[in-house]
Amino acid sequence: MKAARIHAYGDPDVIRVEDAPLPAIGPDDVLVRTVAASVNPVDWKIRRGYLAQMLAHPLPLTLGWDVSGIVEQVGAHVTAFKPGDAVYSRPDIRRNGTYAEYVAIRAAELAPKPATISHVEAASLPLVSITAWEALITTAGLTAGQRVLIHAGAGGVGSIAVQLAKAKGAHVTATASAAKAALVRSLGADEVVDYRDPAAFAAARDLDIVFDTIGGATQDASWDMLKPGGFLVSITQPPQPERAAAEGKRAGFVFIDPSAPILRDIATLVDAGKIRPLIGGEYRLDHAALAHAASETGRTTGKIVLYTGQP
Ligand SMILES: NC(=O)c1ccc[n+]([C@@H]2O[C@H](COP(=O)([O-])OP(=O)(O)OC[C@H]3O[C@@H](n4cnc5c(N)ncnc54)[C@H](OP(=O)(O)O)[C@@H]3O)[C@@H](O)[C@H]2O)c1
């Protein structure tokens, strides 16, 4: 089968689109014939070797941990899926990934694909949706009526976080560059703050939750945006507990795992018209290196999708 793999860590040009063995499936696995995968910053962080100590992947490694496709074959213990089912997943990041025509995924990490969208759209959702859910709902405990600020509302995670927070009844403020403000409003944001405008940025105050998708100076500035007792949740760097205590605020950090239950809830929201995928770039698998270079700019809109197989 065709796969986009790395044999060494490095720049985008270490990605080789080549023949790779068909993945072997264990008794709890499903072999998925992929239609599309999507690109997340973690893909190029792994490609660069930034997570090599934490994940210790054997090389060569097939990149990519988002997929939508069709069940080709199931392991001996699998009863929840059968060949021909349309599924989507953010599979285990410790295994070979989804930039390939086929991928072996634990059945427990798969959910039925949302019925009302294409495989290409569905492939854009799993990782960012699980992230937005774990941050806003599981960790920060978002409830209806709360005032939430989401950094990078036009990004992969932010574009879903804005819609999820709205679907849960929050008042949503999002940061974005001025050129992307209308787009972020169209996702449901009540207010959009230009993060390059210091006055507008400083005016965002008294929030119940701030979702930090950027880190560094953005995380630092986020503390002042919270009301007393407010919650700073980050996916980029753990907020300091000492600072939370000193300010009388709460804080948490999320690093996601696969979650089929969340993907089932997300599919319900998608099919109810409450969440729509936002795709900012589409590439053939052969051009995975170009897709990585685009993601690494940090300026993309929504998600980048890779065509990995036939619909
Ligand atoms: N811990 C976890 O489990 C987890 C899970 C998912 C993602 N992450 C991490 O979270 C981060 C975001 O992921 P992503 O997929 O959303 O990234 P992304 O799609 O690449 O984000 C790109 C967006 O960020 C915006 N942006 C850049 N700088 C900004 C700033 N200072 N303020 C506001 N917006 C800014 C850009 O908008 P403009 O073009 O307008 O600047 C662009 O739309 C990455 O570091 C990723 O690795 C962690």
Side-chain angles (χ1 to χ4, degrees), residues 30-36 67-73 82-88 101-103 113 119 310-311:
V30 166
L31 184 68
V32 176
R33 178 173 64 77
T34 72
V35 177
V67 67
S68 187
I70 306 288
V71 172
E72 178 80 9
Q73 192 187 337
K82 60 180 189 318
D85 287 349
V87 292
Y88 76 146
E101 290 175 300
Y102 293 89
V103 58
K113 165 191 160 289
H119 282 287
Q310 299 302 315

Side-chain angles (χ1 to χ4, degrees), residues 41 45 131 152 156-157 177 180 195 213 235 254-256 298-300:
K45 291 177 185 178
T131 305
V157 175
S177 56
K180 294 181 180 176
Y195 67 86
T213 61
I235 54 171
V254 167
F255 191 89
I256 64 154
R299 299 266 98 85
T300 48

Side-chain angles (χ1 to χ4, degrees), residues 82-303:
K82 60 180 189 318
D85 287 349
V87 292
Y88 76 146
S89 179
R90 185 286 201 180
D92 186 349
I93 207 158
R94 287 163 188 80
R95 300 178 74 173
N96 273 310
T98 59
Y99 294 2
E101 290 175 300
Y102 293 89
V103 58
I105 300 177
R106 270 178 223 105
E109 297 166 358
L110 286 171
K113 165 191 160 289
T116 53
I117 59 174
S118 68
H119 282 287
V120 168
E121 292 171 307
S124 75
L125 290 173
L127 188 147
V128 292
S129 300
I130 294 169
T131 305
W133 190 291
E134 295 284 22
L136 291 173
I137 297 171
T138 316
T139 304
L142 174 78
T143 53
Q146 285 190 314
R147 299 182 69 244
V148 182
L149 182 136
I150 292 156
H151 285 294
V157 175
S159 59
I160 298 302
V162 166
Q163 298 181 76
L164 180 62
K166 278 307 284 180
K168 297 292 175 186
H171 178 278
V172 178
T173 302
T175 66
S177 56
K180 294 181 180 176
L183 171 75
V184 175
R185 270 200 198 88
S186 79
L187 298 174
D190 299 289
E191 296 172 47
V192 180
V193 169
D194 178 356
Y195 67 86
R196 293 181 174 124
D197 174 354
F201 204 70
R205 287 289 181 274
D206 294 324
L207 292 148
D208 295 289
I209 298 171
V210 175
F211 183 12
D212 167 33
T213 61
I214 302 290
T218 300
Q219 182 179 111
D220 209 39
S222 295
W223 292 102
D224 287 344
M225 295 176 162
L226 289 166
K227 71 180 194 187
F231 204 115
L232 174 57
V233 60
S234 181
I235 54 171
T236 55
Q237 63 184 83
Q240 290 180 335
E242 303 78 18
R243 182 154 181 190
E247 300 218 11
K249 293 164 184 171
R250 294 169 296 151
F253 178 73
V254 167
F255 191 89
I256 64 154
D257 284 316
S259 175
I262 292 175
L263 292 184
R264 284 194 284 272
D265 284 340
I266 291 292
T268 302
L269 288 168
V270 169
D271 289 337
K274 301 236 165 107
I275 288 183
R276 66 178 163 93
L278 180 64
I279 295 176
E282 300 179 37
Y283 293 80
R284 286 166 32 202
L285 183 61
D286 290 344
H287 295 156
L290 288 176
H292 269 221
S295 176
E296 285 190 72
T297 66
R299 299 266 98 85
T300 48
T301 299
K303 292 299 302 290

